[in-house]
Amino acid sequence: MAIETARIILFAAGAYLTIGVVVAAVFVIAGVDSIDHAAKGSPWSFRLLISPGAAALWPVILRRWIDAARKPHR
Amino acid sequence: MSVGYTWVQWNRHKRVYDAVMVAGAAAYIAAFVVVSRATWTADHALSDEILLLRALGSCAIVLLHLILCIGPLARLDARFLPLLYNRRHLGVMTFLIALTHGSLAVGYYHGFGVLNPLVSLLTSNTNFLSLTAFPFQVLGLGALIIMFLMAATSHDFWLRNLSASTWKRLHMLVYPAYVLLVAHVALGALQNGRGPSAWICLGLGVCLVVGLHLGGALRELRRDRGHPVVNPVEDWLDAGPAAGIPANRARTVCTRGGERIAVFRHDGKISAVTNVCAHQGGPLGEGKILDGCITCPWHGWQYRPGDGRSPPPFEEKITTYQVRIIGGRVQVNPRGLPPGTPVQPALCEESPDA
């Protein structure tokens, strides 16, 4: 693999993960309760534990979060 | 079961399990270093860094073999079920050991040049068409990424929010990760030229994993056969004699569509529910009735046999089935009812069991 190709791949992966870290940080503070009622009042240790997964799967998380926000409050 | 989340649902059994896991891994790494130092001496001696790298790497792949063997072992012999109970923690620990191995390897072999270590990892060897010079490190990196995804999504929060089927598909990636790691170790052993011992151990491990999976699958196939339809019009399934089902246990029957139904005997009554636990798809028919509830052998999730609902405050529901006893034999309607539907149990003719 050429060095430039490797740099592009790693830059893309880094950018994806940077966005993921930002989304995950906001999500575990303000979003997790809205997509899963069982997370309401959950401890910080739990929120910290799910944050690597939220950073890796941030497109899924973002979509679920937006869907939850669009649903009318019951 | 889902009411509120905690970071780890530890109990006494899980703490003992985890302590044994950590002590076992530490003992393995220490033993690997001691034995390797005694074996490879003088000109063949390995540096401490390489010894530690190999100890961690081999520990991770041994643990992965153990993880992959636990499922079929528990299927073949119920005495292995306690190992299944906390397999997730074993998986996370395996990832952490593999991550340490990978980080040390990248730092040791690629961390002292002018290039970014990861760029160096991806570009320093491009002999993808050569078996003896193949860049096996890339295979390990691929496996590590899969293991990270699995470890990061091992909490029940992910099971619930990714949906059980997506979560299951994601975690079935353990098999591609295993293939990548076997190739990583096999090619690494080929290239370091230190004898066939790693190949022999790896070959034995692969045979064990494949053999146990085949054995477990054959047993499932045999179990699924032999439950004829008793009435072509009604399509009910024969589940065998009611008296043959042990108290507070189940017999599993399979529909023509391949769905498994667990037929439980409890308090002199017979009830049927899906064999698939709502948590991680565990085999409810291999569990037992505890405190009046069907208890999944994998993680202890519970459901009432009469309506397939978890006891309050939990809210999980599973599919229930109609049952009847004719001539002492249990018959099951293979058309499942919506999850949580109450069903009248069939009464056994003989005295109620304990």
Side-chain angles (χ1 to χ4, degrees):
Chain A
M1 187 184 295
I3 288 177
E4 276 315 304
T5 312
R7 283 198 169 123
I8 290 168
I9 291 171
L10 289 173
F11 176 79
Y16 177 88
L17 283 178
T18 304
I19 298 169
V21 168
V22 174
V23 171
V26 182
F27 172 73
V28 298
I29 292 168
V32 64
D33 300 6
S34 62
I35 74 161
D36 189 338
H37 69 271
K40 278 182 184 158
S42 53
W44 281 104
S45 49
F46 157 74
R47 291 166 192 256
L48 202 61
L49 198 69
I50 64 165
S51 52
L57 301 176
W58 66 264
V60 179
I61 284 295
L62 210 53
R63 181 171 180 164
R64 289 220 51 181
W65 196 1
I66 291 167
D67 285 349
R70 280 181 184 160
K71 276 183 190 167
H73 292 287
R74 283 186 291 182
Chain B
M1 293 160 74
S2 56
V3 168
Y5 294 119
T6 55
W7 77 298
V8 183
Q9 288 182 319
W10 262 315
N11 55 33
R12 198 180 74 81
H13 295 295
K14 287 188 179 180
R15 285 183 199 279
V16 170
Y17 192 112
D18 290 351
V20 170
M21 269 176 4
V22 172
Y28 172 89
I29 291 167
F32 185 98
V33 170
V34 169
V35 171
S36 297
R37 276 210 177 120
T39 308
W40 306 104
T41 54
D43 290 345
H44 300 289
L46 295 168
S47 69
D48 288 346
E49 293 86 350
I50 292 179
L51 266 183
L52 187 60
L53 270 178
R54 292 190 182 170
L56 289 165
S58 61
C59 182
I61 197 153
V62 166
L63 285 173
L64 188 60
H65 277 85
L66 182 62
I67 288 167
L68 290 175
C69 289
I70 286 173
L73 273 175
R75 187 131 293 163
L76 291 166
D77 189 332
R79 282 174 296 182
F80 289 100
L81 276 171
L83 292 178
L84 198 65
Y85 180 57
N86 204 22
R87 188 170 52 170
R88 265 196 267 183
H89 289 195
L90 195 54
V92 173
M93 190 176 87
T94 303
F95 163 69
L96 292 174
I97 292 173
L99 178 67
T100 311
H101 163 82
S103 305
L104 285 177
V106 170
Y108 184 70
Y109 291 109
H110 301 276
F112 301 105
V114 289
L115 282 177
N116 174 317
L118 288 174
V119 173
S120 170
L121 172 71
L122 293 175
T123 58
S124 60
N125 180 359
T126 54
N127 295 307
F128 287 97
L129 298 177
S130 165
L131 198 63
T132 52
F134 191 92
F136 65 92
Q137 298 88 344
V138 178
L139 303 175
L141 177 65
L144 195 60
I145 291 169
I146 293 176
M147 289 166 77
F148 162 71
L149 284 173
M150 290 171 55
T153 57
S154 64
H155 196 279
D156 274 353
F157 168 83
W158 293 106
L159 180 67
R160 187 175 171 135
N161 286 284
L162 291 176
S163 82
S165 56
T166 304
W167 190 89
K168 195 80 185 170
R169 276 198 292 272
L170 179 66
H171 284 248
M172 289 299 274
L173 288 175
V174 69
Y175 291 102
Y178 177 65
V179 172
L180 287 171
L181 277 182
V182 166
H184 172 76
V185 175
L187 291 170
L190 178 73
Q191 290 174 29
N192 78 25
R194 284 183 179 264
S197 56
W199 275 69
I200 292 168
C201 292
L202 191 65
L204 289 173
V206 171
C207 288
L208 186 68
V209 168
V210 173
L212 283 173
H213 277 75
L214 286 176
L218 282 174
R219 189 186 166 113
E220 293 268 296
L221 270 177
R222 270 195 227 112
R223 193 186 292 170
D224 287 349
R225 287 179 188 151
H227 300 292
V229 171
V230 290
N231 183 325
V233 177
E234 292 181 306
D235 215 24
W236 286 52
L237 293 171
D238 176 32
I245 304 175
N248 297 320
R249 292 278 185 176
R251 178 183 295 143
T252 308
V253 296
C254 189
T255 68
R256 280 186 296 191
E259 287 173 48
R260 294 196 182 108
I261 302 170
V263 182
F264 277 89
R265 178 182 159 128
H266 57 102
D267 299 327
K269 295 175 281 187
I270 299 287
S271 295
V273 298
T274 176
N275 192 49
V276 182
C277 179
H279 180 216
Q280 281 187 27
L284 291 175
E286 293 173 24
K288 55 186 170 186
I289 300 217
L290 291 173
D291 302 324
C293 288
I294 297 164
T295 305
C296 180
W298 281 14
H299 302 100
W301 282 39
Q302 290 192 306
Y303 310 93
R304 293 187 299 234
D307 59 9
R309 290 171 184 262
S310 294
F314 304 106
E315 297 168 350
E316 283 71 26
K317 291 180 276 188
I318 53 172
T319 303
T320 51
Y321 295 85
Q322 291 174 305
V323 285
R324 65 190 182 193
I325 298 175
I326 294 180
R329 295 184 74 84
V330 179
Q331 295 182 3
V332 183
N333 185 340
R335 285 172 288 276
L337 299 166
T341 305
V343 175
Q344 189 67 34
L347 294 174
C348 297
E349 287 167 2
E350 63 269 30
S351 59
D353 45 49

